[in-house]
Amino acid sequence: MVTAIVGANWGDEGKGKITDHLSNTSDIVVRFQGGSNAGHTIINEYGKFALHLLPSGVFCKNVTNVIGNGVAVNVDELDKELKMLKDSGIPDPNLIISDRAQILMPYHILLDIYEEERLSSKKFGSTKSGIAPFYSDKFAKIGIQINELFANAENLKQHLKNIIEVKNVLIRHLYKKEEIRFEEVFDKLMYYKEILTPFVQDTSNFLQNAIKDNKKILLEGQLGALKDTDFGIYPMVTSSNTIAGYASVGAGIPPYEIKEIIAVVKAYSSCVGTGDFVSELFGDEADTLRKLGGDCGEYGATTGRPRRVGWLDLVATKYGCKMQGATCIAFTVLDVLGYLDEIKICTGYEINGKVTNKFPTPSKLSQSKPIYEVFKGWKCDIREISNYNDLPYECKKYIEFVENQIGIPIKIISNGPSRQSIIYR
């Protein structure tokens, strides 16, 4: 059976924890899109970790971890993460990487930095991880697939020379920076080849054979529906498709094999980066939620930047679950809200005097004002509760209202940062 675990919102919903928890009963965990521009924070018996490229199944000995063809492979970051696991006493993960995945190059990161610098006050709030330049090259057909490292060296050199010629025109004339040198870039590729050699194979063939053998497979997404290139808050989005429908492409499996789609929804809203955020909180309310939120405050796992926070936005969440094709919901960080006397939920938007519960196109988001319903808080710590019926009445009322509004069952509830803090319904 193949299950996709994806975000319903802006990312940072807790997908890493859900994947880590479900990995214990899975055979394979696959990263199918994105790169090292966002992280999954995981807390287990080994400690606390922020993964950026490695699948969240690396802590389970029985799991084969796959980096699929849809991922932007930053080899330096990958090597750093592998060394981090080793230094933490974690057994070497069973890892394979698609020979069709493309390499995120150092010049992608440089171009990302230069472009944000050029845009100045109009910048996108990029993590400067090279993601936009990488995917631009991929679809402009000037990216470098991993398999090229193991083929004809002269062909690779010519390919690289053509790429560098184009990049240097941009670097010299638009950004007024020092040109990149062919020899340095080629040597870096040969270094990457050494690192990647133990892991590279045809992962699509591996996964399709695993499906025939009835293996249990988790597909792990990065970011959330509202950061999707097509269906998110464009242009303040990521540069890959975060929708579960893309998982079949990014992993190399038939779409009809994905039988379950778990949309991870945060019990309140958070977002890293710029863009319209209708239910955003400010001032002391935001500072308190940011300080108490997440596993140790709401700060980006990759950037360390303070996340913007707000009340749960059901307009955005319902839309995100719909675009993901969610079959069920994992509801996370519910425990964080236990300090509040009252909790608000955004149930609609007012746009130019009209009320709607449908998520608008990006051009109308800036005109949207939140409409709230207010709920009584449960005012207690729920982290030690493992049975749904033992939750406070006000907490269950909150959960059930969200479930009814979205129209998709909430089957998993995360009520604490550790792997064991899970309630099943």
Side-chain angles (χ1 to χ4, degrees), residues 349-356 367-369 371:
Y349 294 170
E350 181 185 329
I351 305 174
N352 296 325
K354 295 183 179 180
V355 175
T356 182
Q367 307 161 44
S368 302
K369 298 178 182 179
I371 296 172

Side-chain angles (χ1 to χ4, degrees), residues 326-381:
T327 57
C328 71
I329 290 170
F331 202 44
T332 61
V333 293
L334 183 64
D335 55 297
V336 168
L337 301 180
Y339 73 97
L340 290 161
D341 294 314
E342 291 184 339
I343 304 170
K344 293 181 181 179
I345 297 179
C346 175
T347 57
Y349 294 170
E350 181 185 329
I351 305 174
N352 296 325
K354 295 183 179 180
V355 175
T356 182
N357 60 5
K358 293 184 178 179
F359 193 71
T361 53
S363 58
K364 293 181 180 179
L365 270 175
S366 62
Q367 307 161 44
S368 302
K369 298 178 182 179
I371 296 172
Y372 291 117
E373 289 200 31
V374 181
F375 291 78
K376 185 179 178 182
W378 45 94
K379 296 292 290 180
C380 66
D381 186 355

Side-chain angles (χ1 to χ4, degrees), residues 16 38 62 89 92 104 133 143 182 201 240 247 256 303 324 339 342 366 401 413 422:
N62 60 302
D92 291 340
L104 190 144
F182 168 82
Q201 65 172 271
S240 64
Y256 55 77
T303 63
Q324 293 289 14
Y339 73 97
E342 291 184 339
S366 62
F401 178 84
I413 298 166
I422 289 284

Side-chain angles (χ1 to χ4, degrees), residues 29-45:
V29 176
V30 187
R31 268 289 303 274
F32 64 85
Q33 52 79 221
S36 59
N37 56 318
H40 288 169
T41 301
I42 293 172
I43 300 174
N44 54 32
E45 66 271 23

